[in-house]
Amino acid sequence: MNSPTACNRSWSISEDSLKRYVHFASESCIQELLSASDSNRFGNGSDGWKVLTLDNGVEISKRRSGSLHTFRSRRLLKSVSPQQFITVANAIDAAKQWDTDLVEARYIKDLEDNLSIIRLRFGENSKPLFRNREFTVYERRETMEDGTLVVAVASLPKEIAAGLHPKQNNAIRGLLVQSGWVVEKLEDDSCMVTYVVQLDPAGWVPKCFVNRLNTKLVMIIENLRKLAQACPTNPEK
């Protein structure tokens, strides 16, 4: 899997092999998300994160490694429980926040109860960043021993994605290196939400757009907060 492969190649992969690959990749993603959520809060502030904005309790930070940019949005949500927010912390609801012209969003395969393969496709009317882009991603949801909820979302390698679902029309297969949420329970049915997105400028985001994402990250958590509050998990309250 490490050798260079032409973009039009596709791999046939068994479900067991697919499950093993996604388990390995998603476990790595989960650990990266947990590390990002802890950073700068417990004395480990020398790990490359640079705070871009800190306003009204919302922190936007950025870390760069080579050509890869990782963005982090962190916010305290009052009167929103982890169980409420986790209902909207998923690949499809997040994709709708990135761009409204999401013309296809469907589950291709459920590997386990908490592990799925999802196809996302944006249309002709999307902003340039997403126009005609399609993504085949995994979504894994886990509850840690301390009750912290984690959702990891990232693209499958293009060759595996092509084998699962051939590219259609003139869509460009995009690359989401990794993304996801860490949702920590606080007192009074509140929670701390950390949203992390790692971008590959060559595979998805042009470099000139990278620095424009700060505002978008703020709005994604805000919009998902509104969705979560509109759909409480405990109707009796």
Side-chain angles (χ1 to χ4, degrees), residues 137-156:
V137 302
Y138 65 75
E139 178 184 277
R140 179 174 169 183
R141 311 173 75 84
E142 290 288 352
T143 302
M144 302 294 103
E145 290 184 359
D146 63 356
T148 297
L149 305 174
V150 184
V151 181
V153 179
S155 290
L156 294 177

Side-chain angles (χ1 to χ4, degrees), residues 109-132:
K109 186 183 290 287
D110 289 326
L111 299 176
E112 293 179 352
D113 289 343
N114 66 334
L115 186 60
S116 302
I117 306 298
I118 302 168
R119 182 169 186 262
L120 307 167
R121 183 166 66 89
F122 296 90
E124 291 277 355
N125 297 320
S126 293
K127 297 179 180 65
L129 201 60
F130 292 93
R131 188 171 298 146
N132 290 329

Side-chain angles (χ1 to χ4, degrees), residues 72-170:
R72 177 184 67 197
S73 178
R74 191 154 54 191
R75 180 175 175 181
L76 167 64
L77 299 183
K78 296 182 178 179
S79 301
V80 178
S81 70
Q83 289 70 28
Q84 278 181 281
F85 191 82
I86 208 69
T87 62
V88 296
N90 59 71
I92 292 176
D93 279 324
K96 291 176 182 177
Q97 302 304 322
W98 279 105
D99 195 288
T100 56
D101 192 35
L102 183 65
V103 297
E104 183 178 350
R106 65 187 180 89
Y107 286 82
I108 297 176
K109 186 183 290 287
D110 289 326
L111 299 176
E112 293 179 352
D113 289 343
N114 66 334
L115 186 60
S116 302
I117 306 298
I118 302 168
R119 182 169 186 262
L120 307 167
R121 183 166 66 89
F122 296 90
E124 291 277 355
N125 297 320
S126 293
K127 297 179 180 65
L129 201 60
F130 292 93
R131 188 171 298 146
N132 290 329
R133 292 291 202 281
E134 71 172 32
F135 300 85
T136 303
V137 302
Y138 65 75
E139 178 184 277
R140 179 174 169 183
R141 311 173 75 84
E142 290 288 352
T143 302
M144 302 294 103
E145 290 184 359
D146 63 356
T148 297
L149 305 174
V150 184
V151 181
V153 179
S155 290
L156 294 177
K158 292 184 179 181
E159 296 81 7
I160 295 179
L164 287 175
H165 197 288
K167 188 165 66 72
Q168 296 179 354
N169 304 321
N170 296 320

